[in-house]
Amino acid sequence: MRILVLGAGALGGYYGSRLLEAGADLAFLVRARRQEQLRRNGLVVHCPVFGTTQRAVTALQAQEVQPGWDLVLLTCKAYDLQDAIAAIRPAIGPETAILPVLNGIAHVARLREAFGEAAVLGGVARIAATLTPEGEVRNLGQWRTLTVGELNGRITPRVTDFVALAAKGGIQAEAAPDIRGALWAKLVMLGTLAGATVLMRGTVGQILRAPGGPGFLRSLLERNAAIAAHHGAPLAPKVLETIQDIFADPASKLTASMLRDLEGGGRIESDAILGELLEGARRAGIDPALHELIMLHARTYEQRRAEEAGP
Ligand SMILES: NC(=O)C1=CN([C@@H]2O[C@H](COP(=O)(O)OP(=O)(O)OC[C@H]3O[C@@H](n4cnc5c(N)ncnc54)[C@H](OP(=O)(O)O)[C@@H]3O)[C@@H](O)[C@H]2O)C=CC1
Ligand SMILES: CC(C)(CO)C(=O)C(=O)O
């Protein structure tokens, strides 16, 4: 399978490296700085499951990309989506599938508008990974899940072929008939994790060990689940239970990638995750006070970041 991975950051680098391990014919579509880094050092990935790998990879810039790909794995941040759409356009032929693994929901509609409904798959990544300042990819835990599905619910060969290849590379991959439900479930989980850990600047465990923390987490999760239900994606009781368990472990060291980005002084996906849920709460007639506070906190960080960067 010929795969083009847009981005060689945390997710692109990690999943791309596992797909290469499985024998995929794969190239990365990157920008100039990352291309230079990859050409100099190769792709370095640290993983508690597979150890450290360093391999030479094909890294192309947008102007070097030709058509002929079976699948484009889209791994940019939400705020880079517009540029990424332009960058992958020359790679997309009539048979090319586009598999985004971004957090959030809105990117799916934007991709379908840009490339047509049939081209776009849904993807949900469960992994806690980061790109270090040295340009190395680090999987911070054991998670390496990828859930993939057609938006119309059919299980097609392009989905099962990709899932089989990913599984061969050690990714915990599965084909999902209800990928829209999986995207919403992820947004409920991540909206709670990012909202809480960014606002409180601590791990799930630290929030739970603080007086008032358990009630805050419970209330945010309940509201997020109600927002999903209002948008036609109620969480199955087992899925909700699994998410509740994540927010009930006082020893948990879990934080959201958004908190890591914020603590590193980077951009955050405030609109795509926190803003989506705030708007969702308003549309659903759910008290938006918690979401407004979380969003204001994120906006204040963004304002401060912009002012410190100067004109
Ligand atoms: N990290 C995590 O643990 C998880 C992240 N996610 C989600 O996955 C998505 C990706 O996150 P993550 O991997 O952490 O992000 P990273 O910032 O680590 O990687 C994104 C990469 O995309 C590249 N990129 C963006 N636009 C372009 C473009 N036009 N052309 C070429 N390259 C481009 C960036 O390159 P450049 O360096 O040039 O800017 C960057 O290296 C996000 O939506 C995130 O929320 C989901 C699950 C877990
Ligand atoms: C919640 C988690 C770790 C799961 O993949 C994630 O998506 C993120 O932190 O962005």
Short mmCIF file of all heavy atoms in Angstrom, two decimals, residues 236-265:
data_model
loop_
_atom_site.label_atom_id
_atom_site.label_comp_id
_atom_site.label_asym_id
_atom_site.label_seq_id
_atom_site.Cartn_x
_atom_site.Cartn_y
_atom_site.Cartn_z
N ALA A 236 -22.40 4.79 24.22
CA ALA A 236 -22.90 3.52 24.74
C ALA A 236 -22.46 3.41 26.20
O ALA A 236 -21.38 3.90 26.56
CB ALA A 236 -22.32 2.37 23.92
N PRO A 237 -23.29 2.77 27.06
CA PRO A 237 -22.95 2.71 28.49
C PRO A 237 -21.54 2.18 28.74
O PRO A 237 -20.82 2.70 29.61
CB PRO A 237 -24.02 1.76 29.06
CG PRO A 237 -25.16 1.88 28.10
CD PRO A 237 -24.60 2.17 26.76
N LYS A 238 -21.09 1.18 27.97
CA LYS A 238 -19.74 0.63 28.21
C LYS A 238 -18.65 1.64 27.87
O LYS A 238 -17.63 1.72 28.54
CB LYS A 238 -19.54 -0.64 27.35
CG LYS A 238 -19.68 -1.92 28.15
CD LYS A 238 -19.22 -3.12 27.40
CE LYS A 238 -17.70 -3.28 27.57
NZ LYS A 238 -17.18 -4.50 26.98
N VAL A 239 -18.89 2.41 26.80
CA VAL A 239 -17.90 3.43 26.39
C VAL A 239 -17.82 4.51 27.47
O VAL A 239 -16.74 4.93 27.89
CB VAL A 239 -18.30 4.04 25.02
CG1 VAL A 239 -17.39 5.20 24.65
CG2 VAL A 239 -18.28 2.97 23.93
N LEU A 240 -19.00 4.92 27.96
CA LEU A 240 -19.03 5.96 29.00
C LEU A 240 -18.32 5.46 30.26
O LEU A 240 -17.55 6.18 30.89
CB LEU A 240 -20.48 6.36 29.29
CG LEU A 240 -20.66 7.51 30.28
CD1 LEU A 240 -19.92 8.77 29.82
CD2 LEU A 240 -22.14 7.85 30.48
N GLU A 241 -18.58 4.20 30.60
CA GLU A 241 -17.93 3.62 31.80
C GLU A 241 -16.41 3.64 31.66
O GLU A 241 -15.70 3.97 32.62
CB GLU A 241 -18.36 2.16 31.92
CG GLU A 241 -19.10 1.84 33.20
CD GLU A 241 -19.63 0.41 33.11
OE1 GLU A 241 -18.81 -0.52 33.14
OE2 GLU A 241 -20.87 0.26 32.98
N THR A 242 -15.91 3.29 30.47
CA THR A 242 -14.46 3.29 30.25
C THR A 242 -13.90 4.69 30.44
O THR A 242 -12.85 4.89 31.04
CB THR A 242 -14.14 2.80 28.81
OG1 THR A 242 -14.83 1.59 28.59
CG2 THR A 242 -12.67 2.60 28.57
N ILE A 243 -14.65 5.69 29.94
CA ILE A 243 -14.17 7.08 30.08
C ILE A 243 -14.26 7.50 31.55
O ILE A 243 -13.34 8.14 32.09
CB ILE A 243 -14.98 8.03 29.16
CG1 ILE A 243 -14.79 7.63 27.69
CG2 ILE A 243 -14.56 9.48 29.37
CD1 ILE A 243 -15.60 8.43 26.68
N GLN A 244 -15.34 7.11 32.21
CA GLN A 244 -15.46 7.46 33.64
C GLN A 244 -14.28 6.89 34.43
O GLN A 244 -13.74 7.55 35.33
CB GLN A 244 -16.78 6.93 34.21
CG GLN A 244 -17.97 7.80 33.81
CD GLN A 244 -19.31 7.11 34.02
OE1 GLN A 244 -19.39 5.87 34.07
NE2 GLN A 244 -20.37 7.89 34.11
N ASP A 245 -13.86 5.67 34.08
CA ASP A 245 -12.74 5.04 34.80
C ASP A 245 -11.46 5.85 34.65
O ASP A 245 -10.66 5.94 35.58
CB ASP A 245 -12.49 3.61 34.26
CG ASP A 245 -13.58 2.65 34.73
OD1 ASP A 245 -14.38 3.05 35.62
OD2 ASP A 245 -13.64 1.53 34.20
N ILE A 246 -11.27 6.44 33.46
CA ILE A 246 -10.06 7.25 33.22
C ILE A 246 -10.01 8.43 34.19
O ILE A 246 -8.95 8.84 34.65
CB ILE A 246 -10.03 7.75 31.75
CG1 ILE A 246 -9.86 6.57 30.80
CG2 ILE A 246 -8.94 8.80 31.53
CD1 ILE A 246 -9.97 6.94 29.32
N PHE A 247 -11.20 8.95 34.53
CA PHE A 247 -11.26 10.13 35.41
C PHE A 247 -11.56 9.77 36.87
O PHE A 247 -12.04 10.60 37.63
CB PHE A 247 -12.29 11.13 34.86
CG PHE A 247 -11.89 11.66 33.51
CD1 PHE A 247 -12.57 11.29 32.36
CD2 PHE A 247 -10.79 12.50 33.39
CE1 PHE A 247 -12.17 11.76 31.11
CE2 PHE A 247 -10.38 12.97 32.15
CZ PHE A 247 -11.07 12.60 31.02
N ALA A 248 -11.27 8.51 37.22
CA ALA A 248 -11.56 8.10 38.60
C ALA A 248 -10.33 7.52 39.28
O ALA A 248 -10.43 6.98 40.37
CB ALA A 248 -12.70 7.06 38.59
N ASP A 249 -9.16 7.64 38.65
CA ASP A 249 -7.96 7.00 39.21
C ASP A 249 -7.08 8.09 39.86
O ASP A 249 -6.39 8.84 39.16
CB ASP A 249 -7.20 6.29 38.07
CG ASP A 249 -5.87 5.74 38.54
OD1 ASP A 249 -5.61 5.77 39.76
OD2 ASP A 249 -5.09 5.30 37.68
N PRO A 250 -7.07 8.16 41.18
CA PRO A 250 -6.32 9.23 41.85
C PRO A 250 -4.81 9.11 41.64
O PRO A 250 -4.07 10.06 41.93
CB PRO A 250 -6.67 9.05 43.33
CG PRO A 250 -7.69 7.98 43.41
CD PRO A 250 -7.76 7.25 42.11
N ALA A 251 -4.34 7.96 41.13
CA ALA A 251 -2.89 7.82 40.89
C ALA A 251 -2.53 8.20 39.46
O ALA A 251 -1.36 8.17 39.07
CB ALA A 251 -2.47 6.38 41.17
N SER A 252 -3.53 8.59 38.66
CA SER A 252 -3.31 8.82 37.22
C SER A 252 -2.33 9.98 36.96
O SER A 252 -2.44 11.06 37.55
CB SER A 252 -4.65 9.13 36.54
OG SER A 252 -4.43 9.58 35.23
N LYS A 253 -1.40 9.73 36.07
CA LYS A 253 -0.46 10.80 35.67
C LYS A 253 -0.86 11.38 34.31
O LYS A 253 -0.10 12.12 33.68
CB LYS A 253 0.96 10.22 35.57
CG LYS A 253 1.54 9.80 36.91
CD LYS A 253 3.02 9.45 36.73
CE LYS A 253 3.78 9.33 38.03
NZ LYS A 253 3.24 8.44 39.02
N LEU A 254 -2.06 11.05 33.84
CA LEU A 254 -2.49 11.44 32.49
C LEU A 254 -2.75 12.95 32.39
O LEU A 254 -3.36 13.56 33.26
CB LEU A 254 -3.78 10.67 32.14
CG LEU A 254 -4.29 10.80 30.70
CD1 LEU A 254 -3.30 10.22 29.70
CD2 LEU A 254 -5.65 10.10 30.56
N THR A 255 -2.26 13.53 31.30
CA THR A 255 -2.63 14.90 30.92
C THR A 255 -2.95 14.87 29.43
O THR A 255 -2.64 13.89 28.74
CB THR A 255 -1.48 15.90 31.13
OG1 THR A 255 -0.38 15.51 30.30
CG2 THR A 255 -1.02 15.99 32.57
N ALA A 256 -3.50 15.94 28.93
CA ALA A 256 -3.79 16.03 27.49
C ALA A 256 -2.56 16.56 26.75
O ALA A 256 -1.77 17.32 27.31
CB ALA A 256 -4.97 16.96 27.26
N SER A 257 -2.47 16.17 25.47
CA SER A 257 -1.38 16.73 24.65
C SER A 257 -1.51 18.26 24.60
O SER A 257 -0.51 18.96 24.47
CB SER A 257 -1.38 16.12 23.24
OG SER A 257 -2.60 16.37 22.58
N MET A 258 -2.74 18.78 24.77
CA MET A 258 -2.91 20.23 24.75
C MET A 258 -2.16 20.89 25.92
O MET A 258 -1.58 21.96 25.77
CB MET A 258 -4.40 20.60 24.82
CG MET A 258 -4.65 22.06 24.53
SD MET A 258 -6.37 22.54 24.70
CE MET A 258 -7.12 21.72 23.34
N LEU A 259 -2.14 20.22 27.07
CA LEU A 259 -1.39 20.79 28.20
C LEU A 259 0.11 20.76 27.91
O LEU A 259 0.84 21.71 28.21
CB LEU A 259 -1.70 20.05 29.50
CG LEU A 259 -0.96 20.58 30.74
CD1 LEU A 259 -1.35 22.03 31.04
CD2 LEU A 259 -1.20 19.72 31.97
N ARG A 260 0.57 19.66 27.28
CA ARG A 260 2.00 19.60 26.93
C ARG A 260 2.34 20.72 25.96
O ARG A 260 3.38 21.37 26.09
CB ARG A 260 2.35 18.23 26.31
CG ARG A 260 2.33 17.08 27.30
CD ARG A 260 2.98 15.82 26.71
NE ARG A 260 2.23 15.20 25.65
CZ ARG A 260 1.17 14.41 25.83
NH1 ARG A 260 0.73 14.16 27.05
NH2 ARG A 260 0.54 13.86 24.81
N ASP A 261 1.46 20.97 24.97
CA ASP A 261 1.71 22.04 23.99
C ASP A 261 1.76 23.40 24.70
O ASP A 261 2.63 24.22 24.44
CB ASP A 261 0.61 22.06 22.92
CG ASP A 261 0.69 20.85 22.00
OD1 ASP A 261 1.79 20.26 21.90
OD2 ASP A 261 -0.33 20.46 21.40
N LEU A 262 0.80 23.60 25.60
CA LEU A 262 0.72 24.88 26.30
C LEU A 262 1.95 25.09 27.19
O LEU A 262 2.55 26.16 27.20
CB LEU A 262 -0.58 24.90 27.10
CG LEU A 262 -0.95 26.13 27.91
CD1 LEU A 262 -2.47 26.29 27.94
CD2 LEU A 262 -0.43 26.03 29.32
N GLU A 263 2.34 24.06 27.90
CA GLU A 263 3.50 24.21 28.80
C GLU A 263 4.79 24.41 28.01
O GLU A 263 5.74 24.99 28.52
CB GLU A 263 3.59 23.02 29.76
CG GLU A 263 2.49 23.12 30.82
CD GLU A 263 2.50 22.00 31.85
OE1 GLU A 263 2.99 20.91 31.52
OE2 GLU A 263 2.00 22.23 32.96
N GLY A 264 4.80 23.94 26.76
CA GLY A 264 5.96 24.17 25.90
C GLY A 264 5.89 25.52 25.19
O GLY A 264 6.73 25.84 24.36
N GLY A 265 4.84 26.30 25.48
CA GLY A 265 4.70 27.63 24.87
C GLY A 265 4.17 27.58 23.43
O GLY A 265 4.26 28.56 22.69
#
